[in-house]
Amino acid sequence: ANDDFEKHVRPLLAEHCHVCHSAKANKARGGLTLDSRAALLKGGDTGPAVVPGRPEQSLLVKAVHGTQPAQQMPPKGKLRPAQIAVFEKWVRD
């Protein structure tokens, strides 16, 4: 699972999320940093970003699906279905 994170998940987070949600961001939006698996499990102001084994309950997966427009991430330019599938598979596994 850690290999999947490093190989598939981290690059997507770095490209699409770290501008607002990383230790390098001036102030991580929503108190959420996505720099590591531990940070994803800890989450931000609204709770854990992922629930291991349960993508349907994971805020990260809900956000990239954009089911609630106010919480769609990234806010501009929705991820492609194949990219969303990477997050779902990683959380499920």
Side-chain angles (χ1 to χ4, degrees):
N2 197 39
D3 286 347
D4 283 344
F5 180 79
E6 292 300 329
K7 190 183 286 185
H8 302 290
V9 177
R10 186 187 296 276
L12 285 174
L13 293 171
E15 182 178 349
H16 299 284
C17 310
H18 281 180
V19 169
C20 296
H21 297 290
S22 72
K24 293 178 183 172
N26 280 344
K27 181 180 182 216
R29 299 232 175 112
L32 177 63
T33 60
L34 302 174
D35 296 324
S36 67
R37 183 179 184 275
L40 284 156
L41 292 171
K42 179 183 175 205
D45 297 346
T46 57
V50 297
V51 178
R54 306 212 176 232
E56 71 284 352
Q57 293 178 8
S58 297
L59 295 175
L60 175 70
V61 174
K62 290 179 181 180
V64 297
H65 269 289
T67 50
Q68 297 177 339
Q71 296 177 341
Q72 178 183 321
M73 294 293 148
K76 295 178 181 167
K78 192 171 181 179
L79 298 179
R80 295 187 312 275
Q83 294 171 315
I84 294 170
V86 167
F87 287 118
E88 289 176 330
K89 180 183 182 316
W90 177 72
V91 171
R92 192 172 28 260
D93 293 347

PDB file of all heavy atoms in Angstrom, residues 6-20:
ATOM      1  N   GLU A   6       3.316   6.026  -2.830  1.00  0.00           N
ATOM      2  CA  GLU A   6       4.473   6.747  -3.372  1.00  0.00           C
ATOM      3  C   GLU A   6       4.437   6.819  -4.892  1.00  0.00           C
ATOM      4  O   GLU A   6       4.777   7.845  -5.473  1.00  0.00           O
ATOM      5  CB  GLU A   6       5.778   6.097  -2.903  1.00  0.00           C
ATOM      6  CG  GLU A   6       6.035   6.253  -1.423  1.00  0.00           C
ATOM      7  CD  GLU A   6       6.137   7.695  -0.959  1.00  0.00           C
ATOM      8  OE1 GLU A   6       6.577   8.564  -1.735  1.00  0.00           O
ATOM      9  OE2 GLU A   6       5.766   7.966   0.198  1.00  0.00           O
ATOM     10  N   LYS A   7       4.033   5.739  -5.536  1.00  0.00           N
ATOM     11  CA  LYS A   7       4.091   5.654  -6.995  1.00  0.00           C
ATOM     12  C   LYS A   7       2.909   6.333  -7.677  1.00  0.00           C
ATOM     13  O   LYS A   7       3.065   6.951  -8.733  1.00  0.00           O
ATOM     14  CB  LYS A   7       4.147   4.189  -7.420  1.00  0.00           C
ATOM     15  CG  LYS A   7       4.458   3.992  -8.900  1.00  0.00           C
ATOM     16  CD  LYS A   7       4.441   2.527  -9.285  1.00  0.00           C
ATOM     17  CE  LYS A   7       5.682   1.837  -8.760  1.00  0.00           C
ATOM     18  NZ  LYS A   7       5.771   0.425  -9.198  1.00  0.00           N
ATOM     19  N   HIS A   8       1.716   6.225  -7.098  1.00  0.00           N
ATOM     20  CA  HIS A   8       0.512   6.680  -7.796  1.00  0.00           C
ATOM     21  C   HIS A   8      -0.208   7.838  -7.121  1.00  0.00           C
ATOM     22  O   HIS A   8      -0.684   8.748  -7.794  1.00  0.00           O
ATOM     23  CB  HIS A   8      -0.466   5.509  -7.964  1.00  0.00           C
ATOM     24  CG  HIS A   8       0.117   4.355  -8.700  1.00  0.00           C
ATOM     25  ND1 HIS A   8       0.399   4.383 -10.042  1.00  0.00           N
ATOM     26  CD2 HIS A   8       0.507   3.129  -8.266  1.00  0.00           C
ATOM     27  CE1 HIS A   8       0.925   3.232 -10.420  1.00  0.00           C
ATOM     28  NE2 HIS A   8       1.007   2.453  -9.357  1.00  0.00           N
ATOM     29  N   VAL A   9      -0.317   7.796  -5.807  1.00  0.00           N
ATOM     30  CA  VAL A   9      -1.125   8.789  -5.090  1.00  0.00           C
ATOM     31  C   VAL A   9      -0.350  10.082  -4.850  1.00  0.00           C
ATOM     32  O   VAL A   9      -0.837  11.171  -5.166  1.00  0.00           O
ATOM     33  CB  VAL A   9      -1.653   8.207  -3.751  1.00  0.00           C
ATOM     34  CG1 VAL A   9      -2.418   9.251  -2.969  1.00  0.00           C
ATOM     35  CG2 VAL A   9      -2.537   6.994  -4.026  1.00  0.00           C
ATOM     36  N   ARG A  10       0.854   9.979  -4.307  1.00  0.00           N
ATOM     37  CA  ARG A  10       1.638  11.182  -4.005  1.00  0.00           C
ATOM     38  C   ARG A  10       1.821  12.088  -5.228  1.00  0.00           C
ATOM     39  O   ARG A  10       1.661  13.299  -5.115  1.00  0.00           O
ATOM     40  CB  ARG A  10       2.977  10.839  -3.376  1.00  0.00           C
ATOM     41  CG  ARG A  10       3.726  12.109  -2.931  1.00  0.00           C
ATOM     42  CD  ARG A  10       5.127  11.843  -2.445  1.00  0.00           C
ATOM     43  NE  ARG A  10       5.225  11.045  -1.254  1.00  0.00           N
ATOM     44  CZ  ARG A  10       5.119  11.523  -0.020  1.00  0.00           C
ATOM     45  NH1 ARG A  10       4.866  12.790   0.183  1.00  0.00           N
ATOM     46  NH2 ARG A  10       5.246  10.729   1.008  1.00  0.00           N
ATOM     47  N   PRO A  11       2.149  11.540  -6.419  1.00  0.00           N
ATOM     48  CA  PRO A  11       2.300  12.438  -7.574  1.00  0.00           C
ATOM     49  C   PRO A  11       1.019  13.221  -7.910  1.00  0.00           C
ATOM     50  O   PRO A  11       1.091  14.402  -8.271  1.00  0.00           O
ATOM     51  CB  PRO A  11       2.678  11.502  -8.720  1.00  0.00           C
ATOM     52  CG  PRO A  11       3.297  10.313  -8.055  1.00  0.00           C
ATOM     53  CD  PRO A  11       2.551  10.167  -6.751  1.00  0.00           C
ATOM     54  N   LEU A  12      -0.144  12.588  -7.768  1.00  0.00           N
ATOM     55  CA  LEU A  12      -1.405  13.308  -8.012  1.00  0.00           C
ATOM     56  C   LEU A  12      -1.624  14.397  -6.975  1.00  0.00           C
ATOM     57  O   LEU A  12      -2.034  15.508  -7.298  1.00  0.00           O
ATOM     58  CB  LEU A  12      -2.591  12.336  -8.000  1.00  0.00           C
ATOM     59  CG  LEU A  12      -2.764  11.455  -9.223  1.00  0.00           C
ATOM     60  CD1 LEU A  12      -3.891  10.451  -8.994  1.00  0.00           C
ATOM     61  CD2 LEU A  12      -3.029  12.286 -10.460  1.00  0.00           C
ATOM     62  N   LEU A  13      -1.349  14.067  -5.714  1.00  0.00           N
ATOM     63  CA  LEU A  13      -1.495  15.068  -4.657  1.00  0.00           C
ATOM     64  C   LEU A  13      -0.549  16.241  -4.895  1.00  0.00           C
ATOM     65  O   LEU A  13      -0.948  17.399  -4.761  1.00  0.00           O
ATOM     66  CB  LEU A  13      -1.222  14.442  -3.284  1.00  0.00           C
ATOM     67  CG  LEU A  13      -2.227  13.397  -2.795  1.00  0.00           C
ATOM     68  CD1 LEU A  13      -1.700  12.712  -1.547  1.00  0.00           C
ATOM     69  CD2 LEU A  13      -3.580  14.025  -2.550  1.00  0.00           C
ATOM     70  N   ALA A  14       0.691  15.934  -5.265  1.00  0.00           N
ATOM     71  CA  ALA A  14       1.680  16.985  -5.498  1.00  0.00           C
ATOM     72  C   ALA A  14       1.250  17.890  -6.642  1.00  0.00           C
ATOM     73  O   ALA A  14       1.366  19.113  -6.559  1.00  0.00           O
ATOM     74  CB  ALA A  14       3.046  16.370  -5.776  1.00  0.00           C
ATOM     75  N   GLU A  15       0.731  17.291  -7.697  1.00  0.00           N
ATOM     76  CA  GLU A  15       0.349  18.077  -8.873  1.00  0.00           C
ATOM     77  C   GLU A  15      -0.920  18.889  -8.658  1.00  0.00           C
ATOM     78  O   GLU A  15      -1.013  20.032  -9.101  1.00  0.00           O
ATOM     79  CB  GLU A  15       0.156  17.139 -10.074  1.00  0.00           C
ATOM     80  CG  GLU A  15      -0.185  17.885 -11.351  1.00  0.00           C
ATOM     81  CD  GLU A  15      -0.342  16.965 -12.552  1.00  0.00           C
ATOM     82  OE1 GLU A  15       0.008  15.765 -12.468  1.00  0.00           O
ATOM     83  OE2 GLU A  15      -0.823  17.450 -13.587  1.00  0.00           O
ATOM     84  N   HIS A  16      -1.898  18.324  -7.994  1.00  0.00           N
ATOM     85  CA  HIS A  16      -3.221  18.950  -7.938  1.00  0.00           C
ATOM     86  C   HIS A  16      -3.619  19.535  -6.589  1.00  0.00           C
ATOM     87  O   HIS A  16      -4.567  20.312  -6.532  1.00  0.00           O
ATOM     88  CB  HIS A  16      -4.288  17.932  -8.360  1.00  0.00           C
ATOM     89  CG  HIS A  16      -4.114  17.439  -9.747  1.00  0.00           C
ATOM     90  ND1 HIS A  16      -4.457  18.186 -10.852  1.00  0.00           N
ATOM     91  CD2 HIS A  16      -3.599  16.285 -10.222  1.00  0.00           C
ATOM     92  CE1 HIS A  16      -4.177  17.506 -11.945  1.00  0.00           C
ATOM     93  NE2 HIS A  16      -3.657  16.346 -11.595  1.00  0.00           N
ATOM     94  N   CYS A  17      -2.931  19.163  -5.501  1.00  0.00           N
ATOM     95  CA  CYS A  17      -3.430  19.518  -4.173  1.00  0.00           C
ATOM     96  C   CYS A  17      -2.454  20.307  -3.295  1.00  0.00           C
ATOM     97  O   CYS A  17      -2.876  21.060  -2.426  1.00  0.00           O
ATOM     98  CB  CYS A  17      -3.828  18.249  -3.410  1.00  0.00           C
ATOM     99  SG  CYS A  17      -4.901  17.128  -4.328  1.00  0.00           S
ATOM    100  N   HIS A  18      -1.164  20.101  -3.509  1.00  0.00           N
ATOM    101  CA  HIS A  18      -0.180  20.658  -2.579  1.00  0.00           C
ATOM    102  C   HIS A  18      -0.097  22.176  -2.580  1.00  0.00           C
ATOM    103  O   HIS A  18       0.384  22.755  -1.609  1.00  0.00           O
ATOM    104  CB  HIS A  18       1.196  20.055  -2.821  1.00  0.00           C
ATOM    105  CG  HIS A  18       1.339  18.687  -2.234  1.00  0.00           C
ATOM    106  ND1 HIS A  18       2.483  17.964  -2.339  1.00  0.00           N
ATOM    107  CD2 HIS A  18       0.468  17.913  -1.524  1.00  0.00           C
ATOM    108  CE1 HIS A  18       2.323  16.791  -1.725  1.00  0.00           C
ATOM    109  NE2 HIS A  18       1.105  16.750  -1.240  1.00  0.00           N
ATOM    110  N   VAL A  19      -0.561  22.836  -3.632  1.00  0.00           N
ATOM    111  CA  VAL A  19      -0.537  24.303  -3.630  1.00  0.00           C
ATOM    112  C   VAL A  19      -1.286  24.837  -2.412  1.00  0.00           C
ATOM    113  O   VAL A  19      -0.853  25.789  -1.771  1.00  0.00           O
ATOM    114  CB  VAL A  19      -1.142  24.861  -4.940  1.00  0.00           C
ATOM    115  CG1 VAL A  19      -1.376  26.348  -4.830  1.00  0.00           C
ATOM    116  CG2 VAL A  19      -0.222  24.560  -6.104  1.00  0.00           C
ATOM    117  N   CYS A  20      -2.393  24.188  -2.060  1.00  0.00           N
ATOM    118  CA  CYS A  20      -3.222  24.647  -0.934  1.00  0.00           C
ATOM    119  C   CYS A  20      -3.121  23.738   0.294  1.00  0.00           C
ATOM    120  O   CYS A  20      -3.461  24.163   1.394  1.00  0.00           O
ATOM    121  CB  CYS A  20      -4.689  24.709  -1.352  1.00  0.00           C
ATOM    122  SG  CYS A  20      -5.030  25.899  -2.657  1.00  0.00           S
TER     123      CYS A  20
END
